[in-house]
Amino acid sequence: MSVPDWVQDAIFYQIFPDRFANGNPDNDPHNVMKWGAQPTSWGFQGGDLNGIVQKFDYLLDLGINAIYLNPIFQATSNHRYNTADYYHIDPKLGTMEDFRQLIEVAHQNQVRIILDGVFNHCGRGFFAFNDILENQEYSPYRDWFHINHFPVEAYAWGGATDYVGWWGMKSLPKFNTGNPRTRQFLLDVGRYWIEQGTDGWRLDVPNEINDDSFWGEFREVVKRANPEAYLVGEIWTPDPRWVGEGHFDGLMNYPIMDAIGGFLGSQSLDAAQFGEKVSGLLSLYPIENTYAMYTALDSHDTERILSKMGNNLNKTRLAYLFQFAYPGAPAIYYGDEIGLVGGKDPDCRGAFLWEESRWNRELRNFIKTLVRLRKEHNALRRGDFITLEQPDHPSCFAFVRKATGDKVLIIMNASASELDLKINVEKMEWEDGTVISDLITPERHHRIANRSIEINLPAWEGVWLG
């Protein structure tokens, strides 16, 4: 039941299925929006599983080796967090055969796929809740949910009062996981999709199922089906309770996302404060869980990274430079690599731009380079994280990733000014006179003198040296 070893080598790509690629227009709803239209909370743009299969060469060219899919089960919304049927692929996304084809193509190319598990709540169309609406207090499923009183009304304007809904929403009735039949249903779903070839689950709002025994049982059921399955919880705050044998292998590392935003975006953190935060987060968790964190710069629930950085490409590149050198599995949100922008939901869920003339090729090539280098350097995936004594400038942050036979020095200039820096590299154990290469720009070299390295960094730039 330990953390799967493959996660330390994973580079994730998150896909919001309706907006990545439309591979089969025949399964589009008749009122499908134009591809690339302004994203809304209600409209569908036609993305599907077949589209992911057709664009798999694009993903392989980028270099990713794991995919996190937002919900794909039958639902009435484009986000599908209001699941109606946990055992069926949404027809607007394709069929079970399309799902199996996606799994087959992924596994043939050594790419893992994890699904979004929404087990705290469901949609109003879910069979058990629908039965309550039809039969009210006589429903055999009345104990599957938290019913306050009868009759239950689920469609009139306003929040949920007759029953508990997620954040008070009528459209998202909350499961009663204390009911054995409800609990067993959800556990069976968790096992079923692992048996169909899925490589793990990303668990939605697991802290709202505040029941350690449920998550302990869920972990046991999933790991029995596949000991190498990865379980990652959507926990927004630092909390070691949620990792380990009774819970998850890793968490979505939103605190790191916030720290990067504070250091590079709002500049509310200087280098010392940033270093304290990122080092402190590493000390919170057991080492195997630390290296299994899902480390993203943004997601379907946040502003996109380029927008978060004020459309500053150099800041965005620097954010990726840190992300790919920090412990944990780095994750790219679909389209970020070509320069998609967008505010919070629903703006961050725009359609992928497949016209290459509209891509930011410089950013995509830069990310491809980081992906390649992370695969080549064991230190970046599995090495120790060591902060270096900071230079006098409050905007410079330097650290080392160090493994047996491999080490990489990372230096960041998080300021709007060009800096001449002198970094003590004694912890790197490089002898004076050693010539060190710039891994990202190999034609650049630096010589060690007096156990230090002198380097000029333009504004909002960084280096990997090794």
Side-chain angles (χ1 to χ4, degrees), residues 262-412:
F263 186 42
L264 302 179
S266 65
Q267 296 180 258
S268 57
L269 299 176
D270 63 20
Q273 293 167 326
F274 177 70
E276 184 177 351
K277 281 185 175 293
V278 299
S279 298
L281 287 167
L282 292 178
S283 66
L284 272 182
Y285 305 100
I287 189 69
E288 66 172 357
N289 301 111
T290 294
Y291 284 71
M293 293 290 173
Y294 179 98
T295 304
L297 298 179
D298 55 5
S299 76
H300 62 290
D301 285 326
T302 72
E303 193 176 13
R304 283 188 178 269
I305 182 61
L306 186 55
S307 297
K308 193 181 300 184
M309 294 298 147
N311 292 323
N312 186 312
L313 181 60
N314 289 334
K315 284 186 178 184
T316 303
R317 286 161 49 106
L318 194 56
Y320 277 109
L321 184 139
F322 174 80
Q323 177 201 22
F324 273 79
Y326 188 74
I332 303 164
Y333 183 44
Y334 80 99
D336 279 351
E337 74 279 9
I338 61 167
L340 280 193
V341 294
K344 293 182 179 180
D345 167 28
D347 287 347
C348 57
R349 302 174 180 180
F352 193 100
L353 304 175
W354 287 107
E355 302 88 344
E356 294 189 29
S357 61
R358 302 176 66 182
W359 293 2
N360 186 321
R361 291 182 176 278
E362 179 187 351
L363 179 58
R364 187 175 186 274
N365 288 336
F366 180 75
I367 292 173
K368 281 184 64 174
T369 298
L370 298 183
V371 170
R372 175 180 57 79
L373 290 172
R374 186 176 173 95
K375 289 180 175 180
E376 291 175 359
H377 287 270
N378 188 51
L380 293 172
R381 304 189 312 277
R382 298 164 178 268
D384 295 335
F385 177 92
I386 305 166
T387 57
L388 298 185
E389 181 180 342
Q390 301 303 312
D392 294 334
H393 200 287
S395 297
C396 177
F397 183 65
F399 63 99
V400 176
R401 295 299 307 279
K402 191 175 182 181
T404 302
D406 190 26
K407 48 197 172 187
V408 179
L409 168 64
I410 298 93
I411 308 172
M412 303 168 63

